[in-house]
């Protein structure tokens, strides 16, 4: 009875999708109710999905269009179209979509991953929990991870809402200005794959929810940290180290990627020891307000920042209000983090360290380098 009430409640949700099984009488009534509502769009491309499934199951056969149509028609002689698969309701779009059953949906959606990702690796990734703190670069990471289906649960944390000034690097619509960034990411992933679990911390990371973020429902297998708060950066790493969780970070400058394998090195200092000159970690946190500007330059490794990045830092508080990030750099950083996340979670030998993939070093004339 509670489940039925919850499904009725979810019809009004602006965050959760509702996955409905037409072979369940109660779900079928909800499906029919939604399809009869003139305000709700019905999206039914189940035949094209069955066609893809047919090709996947028979890779050695090169079907003509007419042959494939015949196979699909034959399939639906054995299955009632309206009650085959699942119907997924997207309340923020006022749309109900007809999709393959979960197992077949996943098989079709990930078929182009093979064999760059083996089935064993894909199955292993489906058991993993990843946390992302900060949803600028973090949005790009999250979407890249979702597209490759590199997790079973994704926990996302950001207290901020979308602003117009974010849209040089966040792929979204002006119609989403004022919407929490966590909501945007959760919705986008649900529209890619409604079967993926995404847990939202829309207040960001706080001292009160830090333990939940890392451990509620099971410890994270990987943390990707992309937030602006220096205190959260340090606290998150201390917590990750205590739990033996590896950490990834991208800074969107010169293609810098940071890897801290706390799962392999339980006594590794945070940020590769770059804060050691400032004292013990607890003392640093207690004096962070005074130390923050200097520590930030140590964390970013100022001498290795791009020349335009250095010039931008000099303008902060004068002509600009924050560290600049370009969409190209954020998209690349998201892809790189997703790549290394997949390799770490699948047991590849990825070491701790900091590397640069500086695109400005490529295709330059000798006198410009």
């Amino acid at each position: 009875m509670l489940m039925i009430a919850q499904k009725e409640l979810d019809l009004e949700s602006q965050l959760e999708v509702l996955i409905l099984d037409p072979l369940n009488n109660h779900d079928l009534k909800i499906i029919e109710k939604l399809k009869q509502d003139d305000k709700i769009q019905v999206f039914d491309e189940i035949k094209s999905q069955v066609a893809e499934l047919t090709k996947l199951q028979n890779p050695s056969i090169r079907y003509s269009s007419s042959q494939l149509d015949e196979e699909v028609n034959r399939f639906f002689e054995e299955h009632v179209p309206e009650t085959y698969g699942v119907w997924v309701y997207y309340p923020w779009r006022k749309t109900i979509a007809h999709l393959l059953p979960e197992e077949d949906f996943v098989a079709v959606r990930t078929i182009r991953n093979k064999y760059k990702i083996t089935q064993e690796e894909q199955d292993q990734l489906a058991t993993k929990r990843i946390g992302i703190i900060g949803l600028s670069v973090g949005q790009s990471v999250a979407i890249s991870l979702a597209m490759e289906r590199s997790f079973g649960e994704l926990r996302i944390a950001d207290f901020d809402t979308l602003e117009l000034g974010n849209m040089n690097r966040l792929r979204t619509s002006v119609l989403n200005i004022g919407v929490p960034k966590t909501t945007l990411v959760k919705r986008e992933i649900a529209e890619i794959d409604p079967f993926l679990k995404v847990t939202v911390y829309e207040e960001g990371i706080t001292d009160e929810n830090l333990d939940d973020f890392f451990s509620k429902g099971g410890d994270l297998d990987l943390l990707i940290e992309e937030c602006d708060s220096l205190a959260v950066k340090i606290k998150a790493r201390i917590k990750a180290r205590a739990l033996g969780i590896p950490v990834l970070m991208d800074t969107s400058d010169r293609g810098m990627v940071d890897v801290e394998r706390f799962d392999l090195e339980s006594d590794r200092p945070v940020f590769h020891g770059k804060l050691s000159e400032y004292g013990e970690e607890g003392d640093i946190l207690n004096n962070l307000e005074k130390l923050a500007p200097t520590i930030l330059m140590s964390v970013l490794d100022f001498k290795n920042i791009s020349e335009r990045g250095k010039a931008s830092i000099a303008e902060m508080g004068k002509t600009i209000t924050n560290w600049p990030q370009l969409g190209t750099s954020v998209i690349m950083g998201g892809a790189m983090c997703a790549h290394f996340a997949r390799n770490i979670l699948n047991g590849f030998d990825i070491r701790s360290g900091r590397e640069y993939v500086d695109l400005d070093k490529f295709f330059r004339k000798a006198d410009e380098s």
Side-chain angles (χ1 to χ4, degrees):
M1 195 69 178
L2 180 61
M3 185 180 296
I4 291 173
Q6 184 62 47
K7 285 190 174 181
E8 295 288 2
L9 182 65
D10 287 345
L11 290 175
E12 304 303 321
S13 169
Q14 290 301 302
L15 191 58
E16 301 292 341
V17 295
L18 189 60
I19 299 175
L20 299 161
D21 177 2
L23 296 179
N24 175 290
N25 286 334
H26 178 261
D27 284 9
L28 183 59
K29 289 178 181 177
I30 296 176
I31 293 167
E32 290 172 346
K33 174 183 175 183
L34 290 168
K35 290 169 72 174
Q36 290 166 9
D37 189 331
D38 292 340
K39 297 178 181 177
I40 292 173
Q41 179 183 357
V42 178
F43 181 82
D44 191 350
E45 285 291 327
I46 196 64
K47 289 186 176 181
S48 69
Q49 295 168 61
V50 169
E52 285 191 87
L53 181 63
T54 300
K55 290 189 290 184
L56 179 157
Q57 293 172 337
N58 301 278
S60 63
I61 301 175
R62 298 182 67 85
Y63 292 101
S64 68
S65 295
S66 60
Q67 288 173 326
L68 193 55
D69 287 344
E70 288 176 13
E71 290 296 323
V72 171
N73 290 335
R74 190 174 295 118
F75 180 91
F76 282 115
E77 287 173 3
E78 300 176 8
H79 302 82
V80 178
E82 290 76 17
T83 58
Y84 170 72
V86 297
W87 289 83
V88 181
Y89 179 53
Y90 293 92
W92 56 91
R93 281 191 174 269
K94 295 293 183 186
T95 298
I96 185 168
H98 196 181
L99 302 178
L100 292 171
E102 181 175 0
E103 184 176 350
D104 291 337
F105 177 92
V106 172
V108 173
R109 200 177 77 74
T110 59
I111 187 60
R112 294 293 288 270
N113 286 356
K114 296 177 179 177
Y115 287 92
K116 290 196 169 185
I117 303 174
T118 68
Q119 189 59 54
E120 181 182 7
E121 289 168 346
Q122 197 81 67
D123 292 343
Q124 179 163 275
L125 290 169
T127 70
K128 300 301 182 180
R129 305 179 188 93
I130 301 176
I132 300 179
I133 304 175
L135 293 176
S136 290
V137 176
Q139 183 217 34
S140 184
V141 180
I143 300 309
S144 297
L145 289 168
M147 285 193 293
E148 291 187 355
R149 219 169 200 275
S150 293
F151 60 85
E153 180 189 3
L154 188 68
R155 298 175 194 163
I156 53 175
D158 198 313
F159 62 85
D160 211 357
T161 58
L162 180 71
E163 297 176 337
L164 183 59
N166 300 139
M167 292 182 64
N168 74 318
R169 61 195 187 280
L170 270 70
R171 189 192 68 112
T172 189
S173 163
V174 292
L175 302 179
N176 288 324
I177 292 173
V179 175
K181 291 179 180 178
T182 49
T183 297
L184 297 180
V185 171
K186 179 160 178 130
R187 286 177 177 176
E188 188 165 3
I189 290 175
E191 291 183 22
I192 293 170
D193 189 329
F195 302 106
L196 286 170
K197 181 179 180 181
V198 180
T199 304
V200 166
Y201 290 78
E202 66 177 11
E203 67 275 28
I205 292 299
T206 66
D207 289 342
E208 290 71 31
N209 70 16
L210 184 66
D211 288 346
D212 273 8
F213 181 81
F214 272 88
S215 298
K216 188 175 181 181
D219 286 350
L220 293 176
D221 295 289
L222 176 71
L223 173 67
I224 298 166
E225 184 280 299
E226 299 293 348
C227 73
D228 293 332
S229 167
L230 193 51
V232 172
K233 285 179 178 292
I234 295 171
K235 290 177 182 179
R237 281 167 175 76
I238 292 172
K239 184 69 174 178
R241 184 179 59 197
L243 294 172
I245 297 169
V247 177
L248 279 172
M249 179 183 72
D250 168 86
T251 61
S252 305
D253 184 75
R254 293 191 60 218
M256 190 271 271
V257 176
D258 219 41
V259 178
E260 294 169 276
R261 294 301 304 266
F262 296 125
D263 54 326
L264 305 178
E265 305 162 86
S266 59
D267 58 350
R268 184 177 185 82
V270 302
F271 288 117
H272 315 297
K274 293 181 181 296
L275 305 187
S276 58
E277 63 182 286
Y278 302 103
E280 297 295 323
E281 292 162 354
D283 295 333
I284 292 171
L285 285 169
N286 290 334
N287 295 286
L288 197 56
E289 187 172 350
K290 181 174 66 175
L291 295 171
T294 310
I295 287 178
L296 184 60
M297 292 303 99
S298 295
V299 167
L300 295 175
D301 212 353
F302 183 78
K303 67 181 184 297
N304 288 321
I305 295 174
S306 67
E307 292 306 312
R308 292 196 178 191
K310 291 174 183 175
S312 298
I313 288 173
E315 291 299 317
M316 287 172 62
K318 299 175 184 176
T319 61
I320 56 176
T321 58
N322 213 330
W323 172 255
Q325 294 176 305
L326 295 177
T328 47
S329 299
V330 166
I331 291 168
M332 186 175 82
M336 289 194 297
C337 280
H339 173 85
F340 290 115
R342 169 168 34 83
N343 285 347
I344 289 170
L345 293 173
N346 275 328
F348 286 76
D349 186 16
I350 305 298
R351 59 175 175 79
S352 294
R354 177 171 288 186
E355 296 287 354
Y356 296 82
V357 185
D358 189 350
L359 298 186
D360 287 333
K361 296 294 184 184
F362 301 107
F363 304 109
R364 289 289 183 98
K365 293 180 181 179
D367 59 356
E368 292 180 336
S369 59

